[in-house]
Amino acid sequence: MNSTRHEEFRAYVADRGPTLLRAAMRLTSDRAEAEDLLQAALAKTYLAWDRIHDRAAVDGYVRRAMANTQISWWRRKKLDIYPTDQVPDRPVDDHTRRAEMRDALGRALGRLPERQRLTVMLRYYEDMSEAEIADVLGVSVGTVKSTVSRAMARLRDDDALGDDFPGIPRQPRGATPWNPRHD
């Protein structure tokens, strides 16, 4: 019975997950928050799975759980905001600028050779260790280190980035990057 419940729920999520994620995106307008919101709603749905007798109503249950969770998160966040006459020391988060930076980084990564792009993605996006990457790619750890190093040097290079990152200081050619462990 319990394994049937797991399989049934797993099949539901596999089938309806993308549609529900789009609904979560409309509620949050941020992919990371949308994924968190959907996961929270699916966790609530899983706990109530045996009580939902009409399987056609599951989407409505999940959407209602997302809406309630979003409202709860909004109320909690609202309590952290206090009116003041002073301007904050830190700049306000600029979602548009972050989106532009993410797009520019994607373009810069797209200009890297395939092997360099793959190692950078595995290292920094998938957070894999050099040994794990070496195992996946079937190369030595030294090859992974040198490939990532060359890719990062190319990304730091003015020519590789072009004008995609205006306002961000770039490392001059031939300069050694600052390393806090060496100070």
Side-chain angles (χ1 to χ4, degrees):
M1 176 75 179
N2 209 10
S3 66
T4 304
R5 173 185 178 200
H6 295 305
E7 292 306 317
E8 209 176 275
F9 184 76
R10 190 173 305 185
Y12 169 76
V13 172
D15 182 46
R16 300 298 297 156
T19 303
L20 295 170
L21 181 59
R22 284 192 297 276
M25 285 287 295
R26 285 190 297 274
L27 287 171
T28 64
S29 67
D30 178 73
R31 183 166 182 93
E33 284 184 35
E35 289 171 351
D36 290 345
L37 179 62
L38 178 57
Q39 184 174 2
L42 288 173
K44 291 176 182 179
T45 304
Y46 180 76
L47 293 174
W49 192 253
D50 292 333
R51 293 185 311 239
I52 304 171
H53 299 293
D54 181 9
R55 293 298 186 225
V58 175
D59 276 6
Y61 187 94
V62 174
R63 284 189 168 89
R64 173 51 47 198
M66 283 193 294
N68 291 343
T69 302
Q70 179 66 11
I71 290 167
S72 175
W73 289 354
W74 175 77
R75 285 179 180 155
R76 203 171 309 137
K77 194 181 296 184
K78 187 177 173 184
L79 294 176
D80 294 340
I81 301 172
Y82 301 99
T84 180
D85 292 333
Q86 297 176 343
V87 176
D89 293 337
R90 294 176 299 164
V92 176
D93 190 16
D94 184 357
H95 295 290
T96 304
R97 179 72 177 139
R98 271 195 294 153
E100 289 171 357
M101 296 290 287
R102 193 171 32 250
D103 291 344
L105 182 57
R107 286 190 300 274
L109 286 169
R111 289 190 293 268
L112 289 175
E114 185 177 350
R115 186 180 203 148
Q116 288 181 2
R117 183 174 53 247
L118 181 59
T119 55
V120 167
M121 297 297 287
L122 292 174
R123 182 71 180 106
Y124 297 105
Y125 281 76
E126 297 298 323
D127 200 25
M128 292 174 72
S129 71
E130 290 159 343
E132 291 171 326
I133 296 168
D135 187 46
V136 167
L137 298 180
V139 298
S140 70
V141 172
T143 300
V144 171
K145 287 180 180 182
S146 64
T147 303
V148 169
S149 176
R150 282 192 307 273
M152 296 307 291
R154 187 165 179 180
L155 288 172
R156 282 188 210 101
D157 187 355
D158 287 344
D159 295 335
L161 293 174
D163 293 326
D164 286 333
F165 289 94
I168 295 180
R170 291 188 188 83
Q171 183 175 335
R173 273 188 215 285
T176 306
W178 175 73
N179 187 337
R181 287 182 260 166
H182 292 235
D183 283 345

